[in-house]
Amino acid sequence: MFTGLIEHLGTVSHIEVDAAGATLIISNSAAILDDCHIGDSIAVNGCCLTVTEFDKAENGGCFKVWLANETLERSDLGERTVGDQLNLERAMGTHARFGGHFVQGHVDTTAAIVERTPDGDSLRLKFRLPEPTPSRPSLMRYLISKGFVAIDGASLTLTEVSDSDRTFGVMLIQHTQEKITLGKKKLGVKVNIEVDMVSKYLEKSVAAVLEGEGESSLRAMVEKVVEEVLVKKGLVD
C-alpha cells in the first residue's frame, strides 16, 4: 500500500523488454534504499514492483525490478528509455503520516496529456482516457471533481471531470512540479492512471445489494425509504 506522495526521482539506467516481460534497473535512488530488502515493494511511476536486486552505492544507488506482461500492457513502463526519470515511493510505513490517499500501485490504464495551461506559478493539466472496450470498461464513473486520482503514482486532486469527452484535469502547484515528473511531460505523452479503489468497492457493494446479492437488511432499508418517499408524494397509498 502507498500514499501517492512521491519520495524521490530515480533514473532509468537499463531496460530490456522481451516476450516474457521486462527487466528494469533504476539508478540515482540511494535516498530510498537505506532500509531496502530483497522482496520489498516500490511504486515506480505508480506501479507496485518487487525489488529483485539492489546496490546502495553503485550508480548513485540502484535497484532492479521485473515487469510482467500485464504491467507492460496496463502502464507506460515498457516505453521508458535510458535516462528517463521515474517517480518512486516506498511502501507505506505504519509510523508515517498519511497525507495522500490509499494507492495500491495497481495501474488501471494510461491516459494522454491533451492540455497544458499555466496558472500563475501553478500548472493545469488535462488528460483523456482511451475509448472503453468490453474488456476494459470506462473508468470515468470513478472520477469526480475534488476526488482523488493517482497519476504516475502521485496522489492528486481532480479539478474537473467531463464524462462526455473522457477528460479530467488536475492542478500542480510549483512545489509539486519540482518533486514529480508530471509537470515536465509534453502534450500527447501517456501517463499511468489508478483510480480510487474505495469507489470500486463501493460500486460493487451497491450493485450487489441492488441485484439482491447483498445483505437483505440493507435492501429492505432502501425499499422502505423509497416507499416512504412515494407515500409522502401521494404516489402510493
Side-chain angles (χ1 to χ4, degrees), residues 39-172:
D40 280 359
S41 295
I42 295 179
V44 179
N45 262 22
C47 297
C48 178
L49 301 176
T50 301
V51 176
T52 58
E53 296 180 26
F54 71 95
D55 189 306
K56 296 180 181 180
E58 183 180 350
N59 293 329
C62 64
F63 66 98
K64 179 187 287 188
V65 292
W66 170 255
L67 285 69
N69 283 326
E70 169 71 10
T71 303
L72 295 175
E73 292 170 3
R74 293 274 184 173
S75 74
D76 71 337
L77 289 182
E79 301 175 17
R80 298 304 92 217
T81 59
V82 172
D84 284 353
Q85 285 192 307
L86 301 173
N87 295 329
L88 304 178
E89 181 192 353
R90 289 169 289 188
M92 181 173 62
T94 56
H95 61 284
R97 287 189 175 92
F98 188 63
H101 74 280
F102 287 116
V103 177
Q104 293 179 294
H106 301 161
V107 171
D108 291 296
T109 189
T110 57
I113 300 175
V114 293
E115 285 185 21
R116 288 173 52 92
T117 308
D119 185 355
D121 288 338
S122 299
L123 176 66
R124 292 185 181 274
L125 296 172
K126 183 181 285 189
F127 308 86
R128 177 171 283 115
L129 288 171
E131 288 273 7
T133 66
S135 60
R136 293 188 185 176
S138 173
L139 296 173
M140 291 304 301
R141 62 184 179 276
Y142 304 120
L143 302 176
I144 60 171
S145 181
K146 301 305 178 182
F148 291 119
V149 66
I151 303 178
D152 283 347
S155 173
L156 297 168
T157 302
L158 290 156
T159 56
E160 60 176 302
V161 175
S162 175
D163 294 328
S164 60
D165 58 5
R166 308 188 316 280
T167 63
F168 58 93
V170 300
M171 184 180 72
L172 307 181

